[in-house]
Amino acid sequence: QQQVKQSPQSLIVQKGGISIINCAYENTAFDYFPWYQQFPGKGPALLIAIRPDVSEKKEGRFTISFNKSAKQFSLHIMDSQPGDSATYFCAAAIPGAGSYQLTFGKGTKLSVIP
Amino acid sequence: KAGVTQTPRYLIKTRGQQVTLSCSPISGHRSVSWYQQTPGQGLQFLFEYFSETQRNKGNFPGRFSGRQFSNSRSEMNVSTLELGDSALYLCASSYRGPTPSGNTIYFGEGSWLTVV
C-alpha cells in the first residue's frame, strides 16, 4: 500500500512559469516532509523540508505548502528554469519513532522548456 | 565537507552471484540507511543502521543484508542475485540527533547494479 501519493507523474512547464507538484499521505504519524531533486545519474538531493506545525515554507524560488487537515502538501517552483528539469520526489518520515525511514512518492519528472 | 561516498559506482553481476556495496557517511553522521531505486517501484527503504545496530528493515527478502562498522561506514550485501535486483542502490546518512536539523537525510550518488 502506497503511503505517499504523488502527482503528476510528469510535468512540462514553460520557462518562467510555475511548476506545481502535489503529494498526499495517509499515515497521520508522519511529521517530517522533505522534497528531493534528482538529476539523471545522481542521487537525490534535499531541496526543502517542512514540519506539520507550519503551513508554508519558502526557500528562494521553492515553496512547500502544507495542509495538515487534508493530509496534503505541495511543491511550488516559481520562475521555473531549464536547469530545474529533474525528477522531484516528495517523502515523509516519522523521525520521532526512532527510525529514519523515508517513504517516497513515485516521483515527478519536470521538464522546463525555453 | 565530503558527502556520502558509495563504491563501486557501477557493477555487473551474474544471476546467483553475490554483491557487496560500500558506503561512507558524511563525517560525524551516525545513521546510515540504504534504499533501492528502480523505474517500476521507485525509491524503497531497505534498512537503517545506527551505532552498528540495524534499527529498521524494509520489506525485502533475507537475501538483502547489511552491517555498520564502528566508524559508521556501512556495507550492504545481496546474495543469490536475481535479475530483478538490477537497480540503483542508494546510501543515505544522517546525524540522527535530537533536534529537527539532525534528521536531515543526505544521499550518495548510488551504486548501479546490473544483474545479467
Side-chain angles (χ1 to χ4, degrees):
Chain A
Q1 184 184 14
Q2 185 185 352
Q3 295 192 55
V4 179
K5 294 184 179 179
Q6 183 172 347
S7 63
Q9 192 171 5
S10 62
L11 181 62
I12 299 175
V13 173
Q14 204 84 25
K15 178 184 175 182
I18 302 173
S19 303
I20 302 174
I21 304 171
N22 300 299
C23 285
Y25 62 97
E26 298 166 5
N27 189 344
T28 55
F30 288 140
D31 66 352
Y32 175 64
F33 302 88
W35 283 88
Y36 284 85
Q37 177 190 56
Q38 186 176 30
F39 292 104
K42 300 291 187 180
L46 179 66
L47 198 58
I48 186 172
I50 198 169
R51 293 202 131 70
D53 51 348
V54 297
S55 60
E56 187 175 282
K57 183 175 181 180
K58 184 176 180 180
E59 290 185 3
R61 296 184 294 109
F62 300 92
T63 300
I64 299 179
S65 296
F66 188 87
N67 186 330
K68 188 174 181 178
S69 60
K71 293 187 287 184
Q72 294 175 347
F73 58 111
S74 60
L75 175 69
H76 291 65
I77 305 174
M78 311 300 288
D79 187 28
S80 299
Q81 299 296 312
D84 296 331
S85 297
T87 300
Y88 293 80
F89 294 93
C90 62
I94 317 172
S99 167
Y100 279 45
Q101 173 181 345
L102 287 170
T103 299
F104 284 91
K106 291 288 191 182
T108 297
K109 186 174 182 180
L110 171 66
S111 299
V112 181
I113 54 176
Chain B
K1 195 172 185 182
V4 179
T5 304
Q6 292 187 244
T7 57
R9 289 295 319 279
Y10 306 92
L11 67 167
I12 300 174
K13 290 287 187 178
T14 305
R15 268 186 308 174
Q17 286 186 316
Q18 73 162 12
V19 66
T20 299
L21 308 177
S22 180
C23 173
S24 293
I26 293 172
S27 177
H29 283 193
R30 305 178 293 173
S31 165
V32 174
S33 302
W34 290 88
Y35 290 79
Q36 181 196 64
Q37 185 174 24
T38 60
Q41 298 301 316
L43 283 149
Q44 293 186 290
F45 173 79
L46 279 158
F47 28 64
E48 186 218 354
Y49 285 87
F50 177 73
S51 294
E52 302 177 62
T53 302
Q54 187 180 92
R55 300 293 172 149
N56 197 14
K57 183 174 169 61
N59 188 25
F60 280 84
R63 300 186 295 107
F64 292 81
S65 63
R67 59 177 176 167
Q68 186 180 35
F69 303 96
S70 58
N71 61 0
S72 294
R73 196 177 67 84
S74 176
E75 290 180 347
M76 69 162 281
N77 184 78
V78 187
S79 62
T80 319
L81 284 165
E82 300 176 0
L83 295 179
D85 296 333
S86 295
L88 176 64
Y89 289 89
L90 291 159
C91 172
S93 79
S94 169
Y95 175 68
R96 212 179 195 270
T99 62
S101 61
N103 299 341
T104 303
I105 298 171
Y106 299 91
F107 284 84
E109 297 202 334
S111 292
W112 288 93
L113 171 64
T114 300
V115 182
V116 298

